[in-house]
Amino acid sequence: MKKLKASMRSDLTLTILVFFTIAILVFLAITLGPKVYNGRNFQSMAFQISEFAVLAFGMGLAMLLGGIDLSIVANANLSGIMCAFVLSNAAIVASLGDGATIAIAVIVALVVGTVGGLFNGFLIAKCSVHPIVATLGTMTLYNGISTASTGGNGVSGFPKAFTNLGVATVSGVPVLFIIFMVLAIIVIFVMTYTGFGKKIYMIGENHTAARFSAINNEKCIMIIYAMAGFLAGVSGIMISARVNSSKVGYGDTYQLQAILVAVLAGISPSGGKGKMAGILLALACTQILQSAFTVWQFTPYSKKLIWGVMLLAMLFVNKIIDYLDTQKQKQLLDLQLAQDAE
Amino acid sequence: MSKMKDSKKKFTFTTEKFLILIIVLYCIVVTCVNPGFFSAATLFDMIKSSAGSMVVAMGLLLVIITGGIDVSFTAVAISSGYIATTIMMNTGINNIFFGFAIAIIIGIVLGLINAVLIHVTKMEPFIITLATQSIFHGCLTTFVGTKNIGSVDIPTAITKFGGARLFTMTDEYGNKTGLSIYILIVIAVVALTWWIMYKTMLGRSVFALGCSAESARRAGFNSWKTHLFVYAYIGMLGAIYGMLSIGGVNACNPVSMVGTELTIIAAVIIGGAKVTGGSGSILGTLLGVFIMYLFNQTLVFLGFSSSWNNLFLGVVLIVSIVITSYQERRKNRRLFIFTE
């Protein structure tokens, strides 16, 4: 019990998030009950959330470094479109068959996504461009490539086997959701238990100090943005599989939501704080609220308002926690100084 | 800053030079391909459509120089514009100055809200203004309304203002073109911004805060006042931007505009303003906005469809930021600065 209390106090943001999520779940269980809590709704939520959840993890990785990845949705769309070009190409399908085409398409999407992310990392690490500016530039560029290559229209006409992937389930659980969970566990493991993860936290906390502690800053930054790009590529594949077409401008609202989820998870926008596992909770919290909003028939605009208010409130809560933390440390320091003086 | 560069007498590849080079080359290419491009009508049309962005870019420039950023200005623009238009319709006061006054008051209030939040929480301005953007726009669409005000219902004062011209000419086909009255507003705002930036203590404090907040504080600048000023200023200019674009299309759709803010920020960054603060120029910003609209409106002359617009803009943006940042990085490395 004491241990639990200590660990709760050590990560106050996560504790608040846990209680907040539980409160929302209980509140919705009382007010809406079976309207939200039924098998079908959970399944449709799992379908909807996968593509966005992968993006949220990518955004979380970038924010952990004290950066941000504005290009993540554009990158996902670009890789989705490149994937769609391979899939809808009749010549490739005819000569190689469905299976090989899908494999090539998936590899193409992942490579495009990773290269896109790596380019972000290159601009940020090697050219010292500010993350907001660099990813804003690449966002415009990736959107530009997507629009120029498609003319703004959707690309569709995929092999049946590929679109089946979007609706396939394993004993009720969507395949897309399983893919997301596997990726999430890998990311959480890497960021929590490996030396590489520790380095990322250090760089996020203080770039300069990390550089002078023999950490290869530039390499780590490039790897993280490449990871974010890879996740964007995965998300692009999921979108094409689920929606059965690829289009520029799909999922534009994901940008704000991904940042919201990362902040809600306790990842500080200035970097170095927060746990990746928090993103899972934050996702559950926002997704269940989302479906409650659907039951209550809120307009998309009022949803936007609520997300905005939540983001701001969460920032305030984090700020207050930070403030209390520094106050406590100051007190401890004063106490120690007083003892030393005696 | 510019004086220092002149005194060096060494050719440095600044962003402004790069942009002017691009504009000149591009204009030559377009004129060769399609001589119809080089006409007064194209220029006038471009001035009118870019006026709003140029106005708001001035405010954005000041915010970026302080080291902040504001992505909520489109929400401010459409909120203040829509509310002002609605009030004009409901009260029956058909006067453009009344509309502007109301819009500007709303814009300043919303800007002050941003300033207070940013100064009090000391959080990343990007995240804060992203939140306020959805709050402002959400409030407008939830509590005021989402009804589109079409060209029939809109007050005649706005229609008249949008169509007003300084002078008109008739080309050989009998089409009337003319210089829109919008240019006066752009000139006034640019002059005001120039005066604030280079001739007042307030402008000094904007630069000082962007270079180093701590040094500015020790030098006796009040960062609280500076923050209040810059965010209120962009709120005000955002409101003007809203009114200009409502007048420009002669309709008011509350779900338009929001979502275009990153393009205008991109234009300001193309112009050489540094998001870490402390540097930026009016000329560069105007060139940045100009180049954006140049691509937007003239790619058609080259035979490209408008979907190529973003690609060109993205390439120019990345090249421009790499030039600025990489020079800065090399300079810092020479001085053994490893902060970034």
Side-chain angles (χ1 to χ4, degrees):
Chain A
M1 197 61 209
K2 224 177 194 175
K3 227 179 181 176
L4 187 69
K5 240 182 186 170
S7 71
M8 267 168 67
R9 211 168 273 155
S10 75
D11 198 336
L12 211 51
T13 324
L14 200 63
T15 317
I16 291 177
L17 181 61
V18 170
F19 280 110
F20 186 61
T21 315
I22 293 173
I24 283 180
L25 294 183
V26 171
F27 172 72
L28 290 180
I30 293 168
T31 48
L32 294 175
K35 268 189 204 158
V36 171
Y37 293 93
N38 56 51
R40 259 189 65 195
N41 192 28
F42 275 122
Q43 199 181 34
S44 73
M45 274 197 282
F47 271 119
Q48 282 166 21
I49 203 171
S50 308
E51 59 198 40
F52 165 65
V54 175
L55 287 180
F57 264 88
M59 185 68 90
L61 283 177
M63 279 171 77
L64 212 51
L65 266 181
I68 199 163
D69 194 349
L70 297 177
S71 71
I72 199 158
V73 178
N75 197 352
N77 281 331
L78 177 62
S79 7
I81 284 168
M82 290 304 153
C83 170
F85 274 137
V86 176
L87 285 173
S88 59
N89 192 327
I92 298 178
V93 178
S95 60
L96 292 173
D98 278 2
T101 313
I102 291 172
I104 291 174
V106 167
I107 291 170
V108 164
L110 294 181
V111 168
V112 168
T114 315
V115 169
L118 206 58
F119 186 53
N120 281 334
F122 171 76
L123 289 179
I124 294 163
K126 298 287 179 193
C127 303
S128 298
V129 184
H130 193 277
I132 291 180
V133 182
T135 52
L136 175 62
T138 51
M139 179 185 96
T140 320
L141 182 67
Y142 299 158
N143 271 338
I145 296 173
S146 313
T147 338
S149 58
T150 61
N153 305 318
V155 183
S156 55
F158 302 152
K160 194 93 178 132
F162 184 70
T163 46
N164 279 346
L165 181 74
V167 291
T169 55
V170 177
S171 64
V173 184
V175 173
L176 296 184
F177 190 72
I178 296 173
I179 296 175
F180 151 64
M181 279 314 283
V182 170
L183 285 173
I185 289 167
I186 293 173
V187 170
I188 290 171
F189 176 79
V190 168
M191 297 314 286
T192 321
Y193 297 107
T194 64
F196 176 72
K198 291 276 181 298
K199 280 184 196 168
I200 299 303
Y201 275 92
M202 282 175 183
I203 296 172
E205 191 74 43
N206 191 334
H207 275 231
T208 320
R211 191 187 283 276
F212 287 103
S213 315
I215 291 174
N216 192 344
N217 258 9
E218 295 174 0
K219 196 175 134 201
C220 289
I221 292 175
M222 283 177 73
I223 293 175
I224 282 290
Y225 279 95
M227 276 165 78
F230 177 84
L231 291 176
V234 174
S235 175
I237 298 170
M238 287 179 168
I239 291 171
S240 343
R242 201 176 70 86
V243 188
N244 201 2
S245 84
S246 292
K247 194 166 172 273
V248 190
Y250 181 86
D252 274 344
T253 51
Y254 286 167
Q255 194 92 53
L256 173 74
Q257 277 186 32
I259 295 173
L260 167 75
V261 163
V263 171
L264 201 63
I267 294 176
S268 152
S270 39
K273 282 201 195 75
K275 293 210 166 54
M276 293 307 280
I279 292 184
L280 284 180
L281 271 179
L283 279 171
C285 184
T286 45
Q287 187 60 35
I288 201 114
L289 271 179
Q290 185 103 322
S291 61
F293 292 160
T294 318
V295 175
W296 286 325
Q297 294 177 336
F298 280 3
T299 61
Y301 306 115
S302 44
K303 274 187 205 168
K304 200 175 164 191
L305 172 63
I306 293 170
W307 295 140
V309 171
M310 254 170 89
L311 182 55
L312 211 55
M314 212 51 216
L315 284 174
F316 264 101
V317 169
N318 286 349
K319 196 73 209 165
I320 291 167
I321 291 172
D322 256 18
Y323 176 75
L324 292 178
D325 215 36
T326 39
Q327 287 292 314
K328 208 167 127 194
Q329 277 176 6
K330 252 186 204 161
Q331 269 179 8
L332 284 176
L333 197 70
D334 284 348
L335 211 70
Q336 195 131 38
L337 285 176
Q339 274 175 0
D340 287 353
E342 280 172 17
Chain B
M1 206 57 199
S2 63
K3 266 181 195 162
M4 257 172 67
K5 270 175 196 152
D6 288 345
S7 66
K8 264 193 196 163
K9 291 280 177 197
K10 199 180 130 198
F11 182 81
T12 45
F13 203 63
T14 57
T15 321
E16 282 96 340
K17 282 175 194 160
F18 168 69
L19 291 180
I20 291 175
L21 189 73
I22 284 191
I23 290 175
V24 170
L25 281 180
Y26 183 80
C27 285
I28 290 172
V29 169
V30 176
T31 320
C32 289
V33 175
N34 193 333
F37 157 71
F38 216 73
S39 71
T42 320
L43 186 69
F44 291 159
D45 195 32
M46 212 142 77
I47 287 174
K48 189 178 177 190
S49 55
S50 67
S53 305
M54 286 201 178
V55 165
V56 84
M58 288 296 114
L60 204 52
L61 176 67
L62 280 190
V63 172
I64 288 180
I65 289 176
T66 62
I69 200 159
D70 189 344
V71 291
S72 71
F73 63 86
T74 44
V76 170
I78 196 64
S79 305
S80 44
Y82 187 74
I83 294 173
T85 315
T86 319
I87 291 179
M88 277 170 81
M89 280 161 63
N90 288 348
T91 55
I93 302 174
N94 200 359
N95 186 335
I96 191 70
F97 294 106
F98 176 71
F100 263 96
I102 290 180
I104 285 174
I105 289 169
I106 297 169
I108 289 177
V109 169
L110 296 182
L112 287 176
I113 293 176
N114 273 336
V116 170
L117 287 173
I118 287 166
H119 192 85
V120 169
T121 60
K122 297 219 166 34
M123 272 296 200
E124 305 282 304
F126 185 83
I127 312 273
I128 296 270
T129 48
L130 197 63
T132 52
Q133 186 218 65
S134 19
I135 293 175
F136 295 157
H137 192 231
C139 280
L140 175 77
T141 42
T142 312
F143 301 123
V144 181
T146 52
K147 210 174 133 269
N148 184 18
I149 301 175
S151 52
V152 185
D153 306 323
I154 210 158
T156 48
I158 291 182
T159 316
K160 224 187 264 169
F161 170 70
R165 284 164 180 165
L166 284 181
F167 56 83
T168 42
M169 346 183 274
T170 316
D171 63 3
E172 62 258 46
Y173 306 113
N175 296 327
K176 274 188 181 169
T177 54
L179 189 57
S180 171
I181 200 166
Y182 282 15
I183 187 133
L184 292 181
I185 297 174
V186 175
I187 290 172
V189 168
V190 169
L192 177 66
T193 316
W194 181 83
W195 182 72
I196 291 172
M197 267 168 79
Y198 298 114
K199 296 289 165 193
T200 64
M201 211 35 137
L202 201 59
R204 297 283 96 199
S205 79
V206 167
F207 276 101
L209 193 65
C211 285
S212 163
E214 184 58 25
S215 316
R217 197 179 63 81
R218 292 192 187 179
F221 286 119
N222 188 339
S223 68
W224 173 224
K225 273 187 198 159
T226 314
H227 274 144
L228 280 182
F229 165 71
V230 290
Y231 288 100
Y233 190 63
I234 193 176
M236 181 182 99
L237 296 185
I240 295 177
Y241 171 44
M243 290 306 281
L244 289 184
S245 57
I246 288 171
V249 295
N250 198 21
C252 181
N253 183 3
V255 292
S256 64
M257 288 173 86
V258 174
T260 59
E261 60 277 340
L262 289 179
T263 328
I264 298 176
I265 292 177
V268 176
I269 290 168
I270 287 178
K274 236 170 55 189
V275 275
T276 40
S279 102
S281 75
I282 290 182
L283 178 65
T285 309
L286 290 178
L287 288 175
V289 178
F290 185 74
I291 213 165
M292 189 178 87
Y293 277 89
L294 194 65
F295 285 154
N296 208 345
Q297 308 215 327
T298 60
L299 278 176
V300 197
F301 288 103
L302 278 181
F304 290 113
S305 67
S306 62
S307 46
W308 286 78
N309 185 9
N310 264 342
L311 183 63
F312 280 83
L313 196 67
V315 170
V316 173
L317 176 57
I318 289 176
V319 172
S320 145
I321 52 180
V322 165
I323 288 175
T324 346
S325 307
Y326 195 69
Q327 279 180 353
E328 176 89 9
R329 176 184 162 106
R330 282 191 37 203
K331 199 181 86 197
N332 281 347
R333 289 294 183 271
R334 246 180 276 133
L335 300 169
F336 295 105
I337 298 173
F338 291 94
T339 42
E340 82 281 337

